[in-house]
Amino acid sequence: MGSVQIVTTILAAGITAVAVWLAVRAVLKMTAVIRLGQPAPERFADKGARTKTMLVETAGHTRMLKWSVVGAAHWFVMVGFIVLSLLVLEAYFEVGTTNGGLPVIGHWTIFGLVTEIIGVLGLVGILVLMAIRLRNRPNRPGGRSRFTGSTMWQGYFVEWIVLLVLIFGLLIRGFKVATDHFEYPLWATPVSHAVGAVLPDWSDGASVAALIKIAISMTWLIVISLNVTMGVAWHRFLAFPNIFFKREPAKPAGSGLGALRPMTSQGKPLDFEEADPEKDQFGVAHVEQFSWKGLLDFSTCTECGRCQSQCPAWNTGKPLSPKLLVLSLRDHAYAKAPYLLAGGGKDLTGEEKATQAQLAHLDVLSLAEGDKPLIGDAESGGVIDPDVLWSCTTCGACVEQCPVDIEHVDHIVDMRRYQVLIESSFPSEAGVMLRNLENKGNPWGAPQNTREDWTKGLDFEVPRVGEVDDFEYLFWVGCAGAFEDRAKKTTRAVATLLNEAGVKFAILGEGETCSGDPARRIGNEFVFQMLAQQNVETLNEAFEGREKAKRKIVATCPHCFNTLGNEYGQLGGEFEVVHHTQLLAHLVSTGKLTPVQPVDGGVTYHDPCYLGRHNRVFAAPREVLGDAIEGEIAEMPRNSERSFCCGAGGARMWMEEKIGKRINVDRVEEAMATGAKTVAVGCPFCSTMLSDGVNGKGAGEQVEVIDVATVLLRSVKPEQPQGGKETAPVAG
């Protein structure tokens, strides 16, 4: 070992010791913050499924590759980081000797070949990611960037570190080639040999380059250790546990889609019959009231902005960005942590839990952070502005896009729950909807005895449960399908098609009440459970004696479809629920319905969020349309899992849209740009919102918004007046 090697070894050891000490301290701090969250015992179930999902998502990059170029580049960078960590380890042997290498495997030709390939492709990958970040920088001219609000220096820092580590890895090999100390043949490591061909024969070159590589790597570790909220770096460690502990590991898409997480207190589902607001947690009022998985979510955010780029609120000028919401909660949690770890915090009655002695050593900033309201405007110093909270349509685009499985919608609804149930603070116009749900059993406040009025004018009898026992499907009409004029046309079309196909079905009629979806998604869990328990009891009675496979429900509203199929199980209601487009597709494919006259004029299809993204029903409505129309469906650019919301979800149907561009107008403009004369939908909310958007654009005479079922009925029975006779509109 020469003098240069002695110096490089000492320097490498010194910077490594500092970096490791700081990293251990950072991990302990991060763990302490995450442990402040509430229990979530269900996250430890199904360890086998969780392990499999985590390995598939990380190694296969299944979520990242939804954006192919970015996903492929990131995969090579990720694999490069993992595999080439061995080369960082090897650098510690190379600083001490001119021909040093990794013991055992370091001399295998296959190791040289694999690391050469990964190193080169990783170099290409990081250059692609750097170019993408520069092309989409927030201050670029022409449009909003998905990186708006991200801490850009951190992204640039991480990318440059990766680039330099890869470059110096090649330089180490190059100096070994130049000094004839390289162990791998030309065919296995051609790039390393090419680099060596232009480098001087410097005997200490490999050791010096190895020291620089170690210094770069340890500088990265020191910087991220001093910045525990640096998600763009920490996600490469935290993504693995965050994906492992996702809510439903078996779900093909984001585990925060479909059903909402039940309302819990101390990790247990809340029983409203026994709950006490002074003892039980009602939603989230303080950041530490999120579950520990929520705090892990916030810590894991990579600031990539995929969620932001897909969010309908953000894209129409609303203040909500799922990314910025998560970052605000993350920064608040870590700033508040010293206060909480000292014993501070408010109990459920709002009283301070810590003594003055416990808080005496804290700085003013930590104490001030402890006094911040979680929800509040700029004047009150709130962490999350109310306009941010209430802009969410719960469409799930953020959850579906997130590469590390953050469950944004659950967190937003948890905050809404506290605001609604404890603070009674929510948009005033939504209060009418909630009162109607409590008093009338439907959001419009229509009389219950008019639930069956949609059947008037049909040329066949619609059987009721109780009047007939022999039915295959219970037709869940839903509130819109029973009371809203446009939706009643869909209800009649579906009933007509089922009758035409010889399907035995029955309705609950006046025995049906709202599924509770708007109540739950606005945050009123109490009203949801009241309605849901009533419906579960009614449905269990209707299906009495039947096994689950024969407890079949068909629903025309994706919100009812989602609630009945995914959430009623939490309350003892186990049913097989299908959307009407799924049943109609089956009836057409089996020959029970036969389209005879294709509908022309061009058709585009709008994927409802709660049918498509939340429940992965993309093919069935397209199959129905494909059989019923002439030509191909004119797809909008944003379709299937990237479909753009109509703006009605998350109970936004009953709230005024006062900020930015109207979401439904944005979607209608996209639909009209296809040139289609018919916009087919599979949801009554979407029908209302898009119809209003078309009318608002003054295109009501040129473009028609109708349900997939109506399109099919026009093809199956072209001579029949569509939907039967109209009934008088219901006052809302």
Side-chain angles (χ1 to χ4, degrees):
M1 181 183 289
S3 57
V4 171
Q5 283 70 41
I6 293 173
V7 172
T8 55
T9 300
I10 292 172
L11 291 175
I15 193 171
T16 301
V18 172
V20 169
W21 177 74
L22 289 173
V24 170
R25 190 182 69 166
V27 169
L28 291 175
K29 179 179 180 179
M30 194 174 293
T31 303
V33 172
I34 292 169
R35 287 170 60 89
L36 288 169
Q38 299 303 302
E42 73 282 359
R43 304 283 182 171
F44 294 92
D46 303 319
K47 291 186 175 64
R50 293 180 180 281
T51 302
K52 178 182 177 182
T53 298
M54 185 265 289
L55 292 174
V56 168
E57 282 197 23
T58 52
H61 253 42
T62 53
R63 297 172 71 78
M64 284 294 296
L65 285 170
K66 290 177 180 179
W67 292 22
S68 54
V69 174
V70 178
H74 190 276
W75 188 86
F76 286 117
V77 172
M78 181 201 74
V79 172
F81 176 81
I82 295 171
V83 175
L84 300 183
S85 294
L86 291 173
L87 297 187
V88 175
L89 177 61
E90 187 176 46
Y92 285 93
F93 294 91
E94 292 164 334
V95 293
T97 176
T98 55
N99 61 349
L102 206 61
V104 184
I105 64 172
H107 299 282
W108 294 355
T109 299
I110 187 64
F111 178 73
L113 172 63
V114 170
T115 50
E116 181 91 348
I117 293 171
I118 292 174
V120 171
L121 292 178
L123 195 61
V124 173
I126 196 63
L127 289 171
V128 169
L129 294 181
M130 293 173 80
I132 289 171
R133 187 178 293 272
L134 286 169
R135 189 183 67 193
N136 291 282
R137 65 193 184 280
N139 61 352
R140 82 194 195 290
R144 308 180 89 179
S145 165
R146 65 185 175 96
F147 292 117
T148 298
S150 297
T151 315
M152 294 302 288
W153 76 263
Q154 294 180 354
Y156 293 136
F157 172 77
V158 168
E159 288 167 347
W160 272 101
I161 288 290
V162 172
L163 179 64
L164 290 173
V165 166
L166 290 169
I167 289 172
F168 275 90
L170 285 174
L171 287 175
I172 293 170
R173 288 186 163 192
F175 277 119
K176 284 186 174 182
V177 170
T179 57
D180 202 25
H181 289 131
F182 199 47
E183 53 267 82
Y184 308 123
L186 174 64
W187 68 265
T189 54
V191 176
S192 296
H193 279 271
V195 172
V198 299
L199 291 177
D201 181 3
W202 180 24
S203 60
D204 296 325
S207 295
V208 173
L211 172 63
I212 296 173
K213 181 177 179 178
I214 290 170
I216 292 169
S217 300
M218 293 304 108
T219 297
W220 173 80
L221 189 56
I222 289 169
V223 170
I224 74 168
S225 297
L226 295 174
N227 293 273
V228 289
T229 60
M230 194 171 174
V232 69
W234 282 105
H235 83 273
R236 62 186 57 196
F237 305 113
L238 297 178
F240 297 98
N242 208 55
I243 294 170
F244 180 87
F245 288 115
K246 67 196 295 187
R247 176 148 60 88
E248 296 179 71
K251 292 192 75 166
S255 73
L257 296 174
L260 280 174
R261 181 172 176 266
M263 193 166 169
T264 60
S265 179
Q266 292 300 311
K268 298 177 182 177
L270 200 63
D271 183 347
F272 277 93
E273 292 184 1
E274 300 178 1
D276 181 352
E278 293 189 1
K279 297 179 181 178
D280 294 300
Q281 180 180 316
F282 280 57
V284 169
H286 306 286
V287 72
E288 66 272 19
Q289 291 179 342
F290 287 106
S291 72
W292 61 263
K293 174 57 169 64
L295 296 177
L296 178 59
D297 270 359
F298 309 152
S299 303
T300 308
C301 179
T302 93
E303 303 188 25
C304 68
R306 286 187 178 209
C307 58
Q308 181 171 286
S309 72
Q310 302 297 300
C311 177
W314 177 258
N315 277 285
T316 54
K318 315 292 189 293
L320 168 64
S321 156
K323 177 187 72 178
L324 298 181
L325 178 139
V326 166
L327 298 186
S328 295
L329 292 171
R330 178 197 69 188
D331 293 345
H332 173 58
Y334 281 86
K336 190 178 181 181
Y339 162 72
L340 295 172
L341 292 170
K346 304 293 190 297
D347 62 22
L348 293 173
T349 64
E351 295 297 319
E352 175 59 58
K353 292 188 288 187
T355 63
Q356 287 188 345
Q358 287 176 297
L359 303 179
H361 69 284
L362 295 179
D363 61 47
V364 175
L365 293 178
S366 295
L367 290 171
E369 203 72 33
D371 287 331
K372 277 188 178 181
L374 188 65
I375 307 297
D377 57 20
E379 186 176 343
S380 63
V383 178
I384 304 297
D385 191 277
D387 284 334
V388 169
L389 187 67
W390 296 110
S391 291
C392 180
T393 67
T394 68
C395 71
C398 50
V399 178
E400 197 273 337
Q401 284 293 322
C402 182
V404 293
D405 278 303
I406 294 172
E407 297 160 7
H408 312 73
V409 173
D410 281 343
H411 304 320
I412 288 171
V413 173
D414 271 340
M415 290 186 284
R416 285 183 172 188
R417 284 166 169 166
Y418 181 82
Q419 293 300 305
V420 172
L421 294 171
I422 302 300
E423 296 289 337
S424 294
S425 176
F426 51 88
S428 58
E429 60 270 22
V432 176
M433 177 268 291
L434 290 173
R435 287 193 295 274
N436 286 338
L437 287 177
E438 288 191 75
N439 300 326
K440 299 289 188 178
N442 68 85
W444 285 276
Q448 185 71 356
N449 61 10
T450 63
R451 264 197 185 269
E452 299 179 38
D453 284 0
W454 65 269
T455 63
K456 296 175 181 178
L458 294 175
D459 56 8
F460 58 90
E461 285 293 321
V462 177
R464 280 77 176 164
V465 172
E467 296 176 4
V468 293
D469 295 323
D470 185 21
F471 62 90
E472 183 181 3
Y473 286 94
L474 188 151
F475 182 13
W476 183 271
V477 176
C479 298
F483 300 122
E484 204 272 329
D485 285 337
R486 282 168 286 206
K488 281 192 284 187
K489 294 179 182 179
T490 301
T491 308
R492 287 194 285 269
V494 171
T496 301
L497 289 166
L498 295 182
N499 182 69
E500 179 75 13
V503 175
K504 293 180 179 179
F505 70 97
I507 63 171
L508 290 172
E510 294 183 29
E512 184 183 302
T513 191
C514 180
S515 68
D517 165 85
R520 186 167 228 197
R521 273 142 188 86
I522 202 174
N524 197 324
E525 186 75 4
F526 176 79
V527 171
F528 164 73
Q529 292 205 18
M530 177 186 74
L531 295 167
Q533 286 168 354
Q534 179 181 335
N535 282 325
V536 166
E537 185 178 334
T538 300
L539 290 168
N540 283 339
E541 184 179 337
F543 289 120
E544 189 173 4
R546 298 193 189 192
E547 59 189 52
K548 181 181 177 181
K550 294 183 179 180
R551 296 156 67 92
K552 297 180 181 179
I553 299 174
V554 57
T556 57
C557 175
H559 297 264
C560 296
F561 165 67
N562 178 71
T563 303
L564 271 63
N566 294 329
E567 297 185 336
Y568 275 19
Q570 299 169 4
L571 301 169
E574 296 290 338
F575 313 108
E576 290 290 335
V577 188
V578 298
H579 188 252
H580 71 282
T581 58
Q582 293 175 297
L583 180 53
L584 294 178
H586 171 71
L587 294 175
V588 172
S589 68
T590 55
K592 293 181 179 179
L593 288 174
T594 305
V596 295
Q597 181 175 309
V599 176
D600 58 12
V603 175
T604 189
Y605 174 65
H606 164 78
D607 288 273
C609 300
Y610 273 82
L611 180 64
R613 190 157 39 239
H614 278 278
N615 286 284
R616 321 310 291 174
V617 180
F618 302 118
R622 287 175 169 82
E623 290 169 5
V624 174
L625 291 172
D627 289 320
I629 68 173
E630 188 169 347
E632 299 291 326
I633 298 172
E635 292 282 11
M636 288 180 262
R638 295 177 290 192
N639 65 76
S640 302
E641 67 270 8
R642 291 197 197 176
S643 179
F644 197 69
C645 183
C646 73
R652 289 292 323 174
M653 179 85 169
W654 292 275
M655 298 183 230
E656 291 296 327
E657 194 170 349
K658 301 173 182 177
I659 304 173
K661 184 179 182 180
R662 294 184 69 86
I663 294 173
N664 61 332
V665 171
D666 191 293
R667 185 57 165 171
V668 160
E669 289 174 351
E670 186 174 7
M672 292 174 63
T674 66
K677 301 302 181 186
T678 300
V679 180
V681 297
C683 171
F685 288 6
C686 297
S687 177
T688 297
M689 298 298 286
L690 297 186
S691 294
D692 289 349
V694 167
N695 292 332
K697 298 291 291 184
E701 296 296 321
Q702 294 81 40
V703 178
E704 183 181 23
V705 179
I706 54 174
D707 191 88
V708 170
T710 301
V711 176
L712 179 61
L713 183 58
R714 289 179 180 179
S715 181
V716 171
K717 304 183 74 172
E719 76 289 346
Q720 177 172 314
Q722 301 306 312
K725 298 176 182 177
E726 291 295 335
T727 57
V730 176

